[in-house]
Amino acid sequence: MFPGEMFPHFGSAIWGLIAIWAMFQQYIPPQLRQHVEWYTHKLVRLVNPYVQIVFPEFAGEKLKSSEAYTAIQNYLMENATTRAKRLRADSVKDSSQSLILSMDNHEEVTDVFKGVKVWWSSSKTNPKNMSFSFYPKTEDRRFYRLTFHWRHRELITQSYVKHILTEGKAIAIKNRQRKLYTNNPSDNWHGYKRTRWSHVVFEHPATFETLAMEPNKKQEILNDLKRFSKGKDYYTKIGKAWKRGYLLYGPPGTGKSTMIAAMANFLNYDVYDLELTAVKDNTELKKLLIETSSKSIIVMEDIDCSLDLAGQRKKKEKESEDDDDNENNNPAKKMEKEEKGSKVTLSGLLNFIDGIWSACGGERIIIFTTNHVDKLDPALIRRGRMDKHIEMSYCCFEAFKVLARNYLDIEDHRLFRTISRLFNETKMTPADVAENLMPKSNDQDAETCLRKLIEALKLAKELEEREKAEEEAQAKSEKEEREKKEDGEKEEAKESGTSDEEVKENGVINGGVAAKEVRQDGFAV
């Protein structure tokens, strides 16, 4: 029989099978149908004894990226892609590699786990629904298919899959490019490919080696960070969330932001720069926390300026009562203020730091920075919330030597003795010291920069002495005026016939009437 004559027979056979299946579904009772289907599957399994597991790229109604798919992709790129014949090249802007190679569609590779051979294949599905949608349901959906013999089902499902996911996540952490995040306004949280956080690649070069700080203090911070990063079991043992709070405080220019960058580089953590003024209320604050990843640093800079969270917030409310009365007369202005203002409360922020929601995820560091630690509410910075308080102070001689090595490539110089003496006599921030040490042209050598720093220190010393003299003169003038006023009151008391002792002991004033009586009765007779 020729091939052209065989096709009609195949077509007839297929239509016959379809008709038999339709009759089977319609006329066979459900109980009997289940038995027939069970035996049919058993027969098929004898013929084809392989089991398949599918791992889709997206999951859920809004097609959120699957963590399992990403972990498998990382594992296969590291271990099995070298054996694939057809590869797919993707360019990822946030990766340290220019190109990422993965298995192409309909490609298959093998892997061996504890002597058991499995097969991985990459494929995609074309969606049938081509209707318009805000979510990418009309895009091709990729997936990985794992195939193995049914005898090894327990080993594969309980051990191998867990091994793949663990190794894939570890590979992602090892190869990842750290990121710097900032929170988006909540108006941009919805819609196609909208996120709560925007990010860029974190490329700050600061390290603890280049950080200008007293060496013993620097080593203390390093030891604390090392202990935290390896303390998962310890935090579980004591029943606390795996997080730690740092409060960085000190004058402007003392290196608080540089310290945060050095911490991120040392721990290899992402940084989330949380702008509280862009958060509408406590609920949004919790949603932002949920979207942060483990191995991250959450930063709130200038916390005393971000919101009205200081200890004297009640005093500020009283001072603004007059303004509120004016706004009540103007409803439009009041509504505009309520819409623009953030409703994040101190209670909401405290729950964000160490409440129940703070235990979502793990291995997080929360950092507050401030120039005025005395303005913060004590409940906000107590131990347990801000576990470690780090004062970022003025530059000392040891910190200066770090800056001299960074900016001038020198370890010692004959002018160091003079600079050391001046640091003991005046105050200057590391930022100002670094600015004076930085060469401004190719003609400036190390000695020129050091002399420029010496002149700046001398000028700072003169300004401090001048300000101190002015403060002393003002204090002296106020003292003289106070003494003069007291002497005048004594003279008036003598003229009224009241002795000094009576004035002191009884508070007697004009006409012999006691000051106590005046306070009680409100008038003098």
Side-chain angles (χ1 to χ4, degrees):
M1 185 179 294
F2 295 102
E5 298 176 352
M6 295 174 58
F7 286 114
H9 295 282
F10 280 127
S12 300
I14 292 173
W15 283 109
L17 290 174
I18 293 175
I20 294 173
W21 177 253
M23 294 175 61
F24 174 79
Q25 292 287 337
Q26 185 174 359
Y27 297 109
I28 301 298
Q31 296 81 359
L32 181 59
R33 192 189 312 162
Q34 291 178 359
H35 288 288
V36 173
E37 290 178 352
W38 186 83
Y39 283 108
T40 302
H41 287 303
K42 188 174 182 179
L43 179 62
V44 171
R45 188 169 61 183
L46 292 175
V47 178
N48 181 21
Y50 292 97
V51 180
Q52 295 182 343
I53 302 177
V54 174
F55 299 89
E57 182 178 6
F58 298 102
E61 294 181 359
K62 295 185 179 181
L63 299 182
K64 182 179 179 181
S65 181
S66 170
E67 294 183 2
Y69 180 91
T70 304
I72 293 170
Q73 187 178 45
N74 293 329
Y75 177 84
L76 294 178
M77 284 191 299
E78 186 85 3
N79 298 280
T81 304
T82 55
R83 298 189 295 273
K85 295 182 179 180
R86 292 185 297 119
L87 300 174
R88 171 174 172 166
D90 295 315
S91 178
V92 183
K93 66 175 183 178
D94 295 331
S95 175
S96 57
Q97 304 177 19
S98 57
L99 288 177
I100 301 296
L101 299 179
S102 59
M103 293 168 51
D104 195 9
N105 294 328
H106 310 297
E107 179 66 5
E108 184 178 272
V109 295
T110 59
D111 192 24
V112 178
F113 178 73
K114 294 183 179 181
V116 175
K117 188 175 182 180
V118 299
W119 293 264
W120 285 100
S121 61
S122 176
S123 188
K124 66 177 181 179
T125 58
N126 297 319
K128 298 178 181 179
N129 182 15
M130 300 302 292
S131 61
F132 176 78
S133 173
F134 287 104
Y135 302 104
K137 293 183 178 180
T138 58
E139 295 180 357
D140 295 340
R141 305 181 196 174
R142 302 184 67 193
F143 62 88
Y144 285 111
R145 180 185 287 112
L146 172 62
T147 305
F148 55 91
H149 198 282
W150 67 269
R151 291 197 306 264
H152 308 300
R153 177 192 290 267
E154 184 176 354
L155 175 67
I156 299 301
T157 56
Q158 296 185 8
S159 299
Y160 179 64
V161 172
K162 183 178 179 180
H163 166 74
I164 290 290
L165 298 180
T166 303
E167 288 294 317
K169 292 178 180 178
I171 293 170
I173 293 173
K174 181 182 68 174
N175 297 332
R176 72 171 182 164
Q177 181 77 36
R178 283 174 296 109
K179 299 173 184 176
L180 173 63
Y181 293 85
T182 185
N183 52 302
N184 296 324
S186 57
D187 296 337
N188 298 336
W189 287 7
H190 309 286
Y192 176 52
K193 292 186 176 180
R194 296 292 181 89
T195 61
R196 292 183 172 91
W197 296 92
S198 297
H199 68 268
V200 294
V201 176
F202 183 79
E203 297 178 328
H204 201 293
T207 63
F208 276 93
E209 287 75 16
T210 61
L211 188 64
M213 178 179 282
E214 196 272 324
N216 292 334
K217 191 174 183 180
K218 186 189 301 185
Q219 189 60 45
E220 179 185 347
I221 298 170
L222 280 170
N223 293 339
D224 190 77
L225 292 173
K226 290 177 184 177
R227 183 175 179 83
F228 169 78
S229 63
K230 299 177 181 178
K232 181 179 181 180
D233 295 335
Y234 176 75
Y235 278 84
T236 303
K237 173 186 172 184
I238 63 177
K240 289 186 64 176
W242 191 12
K243 64 178 185 60
R244 190 154 177 82
Y246 285 81
L247 174 66
L248 307 183
Y249 65 96
T254 50
K256 294 184 285 294
S257 298
T258 306
M259 168 66 77
I260 295 171
M263 286 181 173
N265 286 327
F266 177 74
L267 296 171
N268 197 27
Y269 283 6
D270 293 328
V271 178
Y272 288 83
D273 183 14
L274 178 59
E275 179 56 54
L276 285 175
T277 56
V279 184
K280 287 185 178 180
D281 51 35
N282 297 334
T283 302
E284 288 190 1
L285 192 62
K286 292 176 183 177
K287 291 179 180 179
L288 288 169
L289 176 64
I290 294 173
E291 291 293 327
T292 60
S293 62
S294 299
K295 293 184 178 293
S296 62
I297 298 177
I298 302 175
V299 180
M300 282 166 266
E301 294 198 271
D302 297 322
I303 186 66
D304 55 308
C305 302
S306 297
L307 293 174
D308 189 12
L309 301 171
Q312 298 184 358
R313 55 191 180 281
K314 292 183 179 179
K315 180 180 178 181
K316 293 181 180 179
E317 290 176 0
K318 291 182 179 180
E319 293 175 352
S320 62
E321 283 182 356
D322 295 337
D323 295 336
D324 291 341
D325 292 338
N326 295 331
E327 288 177 2
N328 289 334
N329 297 329
N330 189 346
K333 185 176 181 181
K334 181 180 178 181
M335 185 179 297
E336 181 181 358
K337 182 178 179 180
E338 290 178 351
E339 291 177 353
K340 291 184 177 179
S342 175
K343 295 182 181 179
V344 175
T345 63
L346 177 61
S347 175
L349 187 58
L350 297 182
N351 289 329
F352 177 87
I353 299 170
D354 68 347
I356 296 177
W357 287 92
S358 66
C360 300
E363 200 169 357
R364 288 193 185 97
I365 289 178
I366 301 175
I367 298 180
F368 288 165
T369 71
T370 179
N371 297 333
H372 307 284
V373 68
D374 56 310
K375 292 184 178 180
L376 297 180
D377 194 297
L380 190 63
I381 59 176
R382 69 163 176 80
R383 305 293 178 175
R385 290 193 174 109
M386 294 294 105
D387 305 285
K388 193 169 183 62
H389 296 191
I390 303 174
E391 181 180 7
M392 306 297 292
S393 187
Y394 293 98
C395 189
C396 62
F397 181 66
E398 293 297 328
F400 155 75
K401 290 197 293 186
V402 174
L403 294 173
R405 183 173 63 249
N406 294 342
Y407 286 83
L408 303 176
D409 295 324
I410 58 175
E411 297 287 345
D412 195 12
H413 195 275
R414 60 187 180 85
L415 295 176
F416 275 18
R417 182 176 298 179
T418 303
I419 294 174
S420 177
R421 175 178 57 80
L422 289 171
F423 272 124
N424 294 329
E425 298 174 354
T426 188
K427 296 178 180 178
M428 181 175 286
T429 65
D432 291 332
V433 174
E435 180 62 25
N436 285 283
L437 291 179
M438 180 181 292
K440 302 300 188 298
S441 65
N442 294 331
D443 299 334
Q444 293 184 345
D445 56 7
E447 183 166 347
T448 303
C449 295
L450 291 176
R451 290 191 179 279
K452 184 171 60 173
L453 175 61
I454 291 174
E455 293 300 322
L457 287 169
K458 289 180 178 179
L459 179 60
K461 181 181 178 182
E462 292 177 1
L463 291 175
E464 287 181 9
E465 292 176 349
R466 188 183 308 166
E467 290 177 357
K468 185 177 180 181
E470 292 176 355
E471 291 176 358
E472 291 177 352
Q474 184 178 356
K476 183 178 179 181
S477 176
E478 291 176 354
K479 182 179 179 181
E480 290 176 352
E481 290 181 1
R482 187 168 57 253
E483 291 176 351
K484 185 177 180 181
K485 183 178 180 180
E486 291 176 356
D487 292 339
E489 291 176 352
K490 290 178 181 179
E491 291 295 331
E492 291 180 1
K494 287 180 180 180
E495 292 177 0
S496 64
T498 307
S499 64
D500 293 344
E501 293 181 358
E502 290 176 341
V503 172
K504 293 179 180 178
E505 293 178 1
N506 302 321
V508 179
I509 58 176
N510 295 339
V513 181
K516 183 178 181 181
E517 295 176 359
V518 174
R519 288 195 300 270
Q520 291 177 349
D521 302 332
F523 61 90
V525 181

